Amino acid sequence: MYLGSWLSRLCRGLSRPIGKTMRPIWGSLSRNLALSSQRIPEFSSFVARTNTCGELRSSHLGQEVTLCGWIQYRRQNTFLVLRDCHGLVQILIPQDESAASVRRILCEAPVESVVRVSGTVISRPPGQENPKMPTGEIEIKVKTAELLNACKKLPFEIKDFVKKTEALRLQYRYLDLRSFQMQYNLRLRSQMVMKMREYLCNLHGFVDIETPTLFKRTPGGAKEFLVPSREPGKFYSLPQSPQQFKQLLMVGGLDRYFQVARCYRDEGSRPDRQPEFTQIDIEMSFVEQTGIQRLVEGLLQYSWPGDKDPLVTPFPSMTFAEALATYGTDKPDTRFGMKIVDVSDVFRNTEIRFLQDALAKPQGTVKAVCVHDGAKYLRKEDIEFIRKFAVHHFSQEVLPIFLNAKKNWSSPFAKFIMEEERLELARSMEIQEEDMVLLTAGEHEKACSLLGKLRLECADLLEMRGAVLRDPAVFSFLWVVDFPLFLAKEESPTELESAHHPFTAPNSSDIHLLYTEPEKVRGQHYDLVLNGNEIGGGSVRIHDAQLQRYILETLLKEDVKLLSHLLQALDYGAPPHGGIALGLDRLVCLVTGAPSIRDVIAFPKSYRGQDLMSNAPDSVSPEELKPYHVHILWPADSEEESASATPSKHLSS
């Protein structure tokens, strides 16, 4: 008896879910890998096998083969499925007495044990072929078998349809990596990086240069990791990005640089960030913004996976101001509508108090979003959630409006909307009977930001209820440009901080404002957005030392001594230059449809920045710390010191 229905289910495990679509893993990936080079890769060179488990077909009938892999499944001690990183193949366990030793090895070895088998490729009996399995027409009649390593009892089954907690997956990451999904993600990542290298180095003359990961502390930006040195009181810093190094490479005349760069940010617990991550880091001399954009579009087009729809270039572009006004965010998801509309004129004579109060202020506006089919899909509890979300996160009132008055649940303001206002709103926003409108009022940026968040919350709610808004097979790229060069600091609104980083060049037409109204200056900064996620950011850099010093010292109040090396370099004939960094982890995450960037990184940290497999970060003894002149002050010690310091201070006074 053959594997029958179970093997059909197993073969379905060879299909990878991308949203609501299913795509085969091994077949498409093997084809892509083969097409990525002029020569077909030799997967069995230099190793103790003749073939991989996923490559055998009817064309191999009669061949003597040796295969190595893991026991995926065994049934009735008659068949087993052998797996390696290239696929699955069915093994016929010999039943005759002369092969008793082979039978014993294959029948007694636990699932996930590693074995090597040799035998003949034969056809499956008529009617037992599996068309869903790439190797489904053949099986291996085994002659010899060797147990290379027996597997102990597993903490979880190596099957994608078996649900595991993320903590368990990270604790036993080496087992989780055996899953079809992780194999697909990491191989696709490798393939894309290789194509990027080809495009940049072979086609466009870039130089791949590694920059140091032990550097010095720099002003601004995210927090950096410090590394103690053996010099008392002196520390290295792990770079947030190779920003200064790549600019110095341009000063050095390298002209075109790129690097698959490791970067580090001590950002603490953030949902979809990692303390160490990877960028495709790029810098060019004598380039303008459009040159960088065309380069990146070509790079993505060239490295795009073959099992996805090809990318159409050039990507659309939108200013920061347009993105905020239309979508309420600088990284809009343009796969669906629900755009923000200014309806201030509709409510100039309104009787609703909170709208009146907002419009009476100089910068006051009334904004609205039309949630298509909102009345059809959303429930009363959804409307309550939306209203509480607005109050809790933005301290703003939001008013849900329906054309059908019976749907205006829990809306004390609905009865105050005049009929002509309702009709004008429906006309200007093209509202249909089943739609819902979310209305808010206040200062432009705050009102837009609120509706931008609610737009995404409503999209999630609608899709939970069965509506189709965001096609997971669609990849919607967008350039966002003309960002402000500076922002007001949250903790001190009278002071400025860089919107991007302090090396971004101002827009040439705004340079005069640097000395009078710096908050109005636009930067030559550009972000690349994919499906509502920022996957890249870059800028044209300041190459004039005097301008760079003025921005650092006068506008940002930074200690220029920390950047004296860069300022000095700019004084020695620095060419105009610019660049970009693409977030490789997030890009691959979106391409594969993975739920988290941790699913496209081989050994990621947990949500709290811990390595659950090795228990890093770990303790270091005082003896080991001595050469670094570091002393640990434990929380209990600091409390005792504070307690003892208080009375002495009192006595001294």
Side-chain angles (χ1 to χ4, degrees):
M1 182 176 178
Y2 283 73
L3 290 170
S5 61
W6 179 86
L7 193 53
S8 296
R9 292 198 302 273
L10 178 62
C11 291
R12 286 197 292 271
L14 286 170
S15 295
R16 176 180 64 88
I18 305 180
K20 298 177 183 176
T21 63
M22 300 290 283
R23 299 179 187 269
I25 295 182
W26 304 113
S28 64
L29 187 58
S30 297
R31 285 195 300 274
N32 290 340
L33 288 171
L35 291 172
S36 68
S37 174
Q38 293 180 350
R39 305 180 69 176
I40 296 174
E42 278 288 341
F43 293 119
S44 295
S45 53
F46 316 116
V47 294
R49 68 184 181 214
T50 61
N51 300 86
T52 66
C53 294
E55 71 175 290
L56 298 174
R57 303 289 188 273
S58 295
S59 59
H60 296 90
L61 287 174
Q63 289 188 15
E64 298 294 316
V65 298
T66 298
L67 307 175
C68 299
W70 287 262
I71 297 175
Q72 172 87 8
Y73 180 80
R74 180 172 45 236
R75 184 172 182 181
Q76 297 180 344
N77 290 339
T78 306
F79 310 100
L80 66 79
V81 173
L82 194 66
R83 181 193 80 242
D84 65 12
C85 62
H86 299 280
L88 307 175
V89 67
Q90 183 168 287
I91 304 296
L92 185 61
I93 301 174
Q95 302 296 310
D96 48 296
E97 276 304 314
S98 61
S101 61
V102 173
R103 175 182 169 83
R104 184 168 57 254
I105 289 171
L106 297 181
C107 291
E108 293 179 3
V111 170
E112 288 301 312
S113 293
V114 187
V115 297
R116 177 165 55 225
V117 299
S118 296
T120 308
V121 181
I122 62 174
S123 294
R124 296 196 189 191
Q128 298 297 335
E129 302 89 348
N130 189 336
K132 297 179 181 178
M133 191 174 179
T135 60
E137 294 181 349
I138 59 94
E139 59 190 3
I140 309 301
K141 185 177 180 181
V142 174
K143 295 180 181 177
T144 64
E146 181 183 356
L147 177 63
L148 299 177
N149 203 334
C151 181
K152 298 174 77 171
K153 181 177 174 58
L154 294 167
F156 53 78
E157 292 184 88
I158 314 296
K159 294 173 183 174
D160 281 344
F161 56 83
V162 175
K163 300 296 182 185
K164 292 91 68 176
T165 64
E166 187 174 62
L168 195 62
R169 290 177 59 204
L170 293 180
Q171 184 181 354
Y172 297 95
R173 189 59 163 189
Y174 43 84
L175 295 179
D176 189 48
L177 290 175
R178 295 183 191 175
S179 70
F180 295 131
Q181 190 65 61
M182 286 302 303
Q183 289 276 324
Y184 178 88
N185 292 351
L186 294 179
R187 290 173 184 278
L188 186 72
R189 176 180 176 133
S190 171
Q191 179 196 10
M192 290 185 70
V193 170
M194 182 57 67
K195 296 290 287 183
M196 288 178 177
R197 290 185 187 277
E198 285 180 19
Y199 180 83
L200 292 169
C201 290
N202 297 351
L203 299 185
H204 293 285
F206 279 77
V207 185
D208 185 354
I209 302 176
E210 296 175 355
T211 56
T213 53
L214 289 177
F215 192 40
K216 65 180 290 185
R217 186 176 62 85
T218 54
K223 290 182 180 178
E224 298 169 333
F225 286 100
L226 295 178
V227 180
S229 76
R230 291 175 183 265
E231 291 190 54
K234 293 190 176 181
F235 294 80
Y236 294 106
S237 179
L238 301 182
Q240 301 170 37
S241 78
Q243 180 62 48
Q244 294 178 55
F245 288 115
K246 62 185 181 181
Q247 290 193 243
L248 294 171
L249 288 169
M250 296 304 101
V251 177
L254 268 296
D255 193 64
R256 294 186 169 200
Y257 141 94
F258 98 97
Q259 179 184 187
V260 182
R262 298 294 285 169
C263 305
Y264 307 87
R265 289 180 187 171
D266 188 8
E267 296 188 311
S269 301
R270 304 206 47 186
D272 210 26
R273 300 278 182 95
Q274 285 283 291
E276 52 182 327
F277 55 97
T278 307
Q279 290 180 347
I280 303 297
D281 205 51
I282 297 171
E283 197 79 6
M284 300 171 71
S285 293
F286 311 109
V287 71
E288 295 180 345
Q289 179 173 314
T290 53
I292 296 289
Q293 290 174 335
R294 298 297 86 81
L295 170 79
V296 170
E297 290 166 359
L299 174 70
L300 290 171
Q301 204 170 37
Y302 188 85
S303 60
W304 200 246
D307 60 347
K308 306 280 186 289
D309 291 337
L311 298 184
V312 177
T313 59
F315 300 153
S317 182
M318 182 181 296
T319 67
F320 168 79
E322 290 171 329
L324 182 65
T326 310
Y327 295 99
T329 177
D330 60 359
K331 45 180 183 290
D333 189 340
T334 53
R335 288 175 295 173
F336 66 105
M338 292 169 54
K339 296 179 180 179
I340 299 170
V341 179
D342 191 314
V343 292
S344 301
D345 290 341
V346 176
F347 293 96
R348 289 295 175 192
N349 300 312
T350 184
E351 296 179 7
I352 300 175
R353 184 61 181 269
F354 91 93
L355 299 183
Q356 285 179 349
D357 292 345
L359 290 173
K361 296 175 182 176
Q363 305 299 320
T365 62
V366 180
K367 306 283 186 180
V369 161
C370 180
V371 181
H372 296 295
D373 288 332
K376 177 181 176 182
Y377 287 105
L378 298 181
R379 303 170 183 171
K380 185 175 181 179
E381 58 265 30
D382 298 329
I383 305 302
E384 282 303 304
F385 167 79
I386 289 168
R387 295 189 63 195
K388 288 178 180 177
F389 180 93
V391 172
H392 180 72
H393 292 280
F394 288 84
S395 301
Q396 288 262 112
E397 184 72 51
V398 65
L399 173 59
I401 301 174
F402 301 84
L403 288 184
N404 181 352
K406 293 180 182 178
K407 288 282 188 179
N408 285 304
W409 303 297
S410 306
S411 179
F413 301 105
K415 61 184 179 182
F416 296 108
I417 298 177
M418 295 179 286
E419 185 62 24
E420 57 268 29
E421 290 172 341
R422 196 185 299 271
L423 292 173
E424 178 59 22
L425 192 65
R427 185 195 63 77
S428 62
M429 299 190 68
E430 299 180 351
I431 304 170
Q432 304 299 315
E433 179 66 26
E434 294 292 333
D435 295 345
M436 176 188 74
V437 173
L438 293 178
L439 200 70
T440 193
E443 184 269 327
H444 168 76
E445 187 172 331
K446 190 173 181 181
C448 289
S449 296
L450 167 59
L451 290 181
K453 288 284 188 184
L454 291 181
R455 173 179 179 267
L456 297 175
E457 292 291 336
C458 287
D460 290 340
L461 288 169
L462 288 172
E463 288 180 336
M464 282 173 54
R465 304 280 181 248
V468 179
L469 264 73
R470 297 169 288 196
D471 185 346
V474 169
F475 295 93
S476 182
F477 286 91
L478 174 72
W479 287 108
V480 179
V481 300
D482 284 349
F483 284 82
L485 188 62
F486 305 111
L487 299 172
K489 287 185 177 180
E490 283 188 26
E491 65 278 10
S492 180
T494 59
E495 297 180 25
L496 298 176
E497 63 183 2
S498 296
H500 185 42
H501 59 55
F503 315 115
T504 300
N507 190 305
S508 57
S509 60
D510 292 350
I511 286 182
H512 65 283
L513 296 173
L514 279 174
Y515 309 99
T516 54
E517 299 176 285
E519 67 280 357
K520 293 184 179 179
V521 177
R522 292 167 298 164
Q524 295 188 58
H525 164 200
Y526 32 85
D527 278 354
L528 183 58
V529 176
L530 172 58
N531 294 354
N533 297 269
E534 180 194 332
I535 62 162
S539 67
V540 172
R541 323 301 186 189
I542 299 168
H543 66 281
D544 178 83
Q546 187 176 350
L547 177 60
Q548 183 68 83
R549 180 180 291 275
Y550 175 78
I551 286 176
L552 286 168
E553 196 169 42
T554 305
L555 298 182
L556 298 178
K557 315 295 185 191
E558 298 286 2
D559 182 1
V560 294
K561 292 178 183 176
L562 293 171
L563 293 166
S564 59
H565 56 284
L566 179 63
L567 291 169
Q568 186 180 54
L570 295 180
D571 256 336
Y572 289 131
H577 57 281
I580 194 168
L582 298 176
L584 181 63
D585 309 308
R586 184 161 287 128
L587 173 62
V588 177
C589 178
L590 293 169
V591 170
T592 59
S596 164
I597 62 170
R598 290 183 287 277
D599 290 317
V600 298
I601 300 172
F603 296 100
K605 303 294 188 293
S606 71
Y607 172 75
R608 296 189 178 278
Q610 297 172 313
D611 181 348
L612 300 181
M613 182 179 64
S614 68
N615 288 322
D618 203 358
S619 301
V620 178
S621 70
E623 281 299 314
E624 292 171 299
L625 287 174
K626 272 185 180 178
Y628 301 102
H629 312 281
V630 172
H631 170 69
I632 296 175
L633 185 65
W634 297 99
D637 296 338
S638 63
E639 287 173 12
E640 287 176 13
E641 286 191 12
S642 298
S644 61
T646 304
S648 63
K649 184 178 180 182
H650 176 72
L651 289 171
S652 66
S653 62

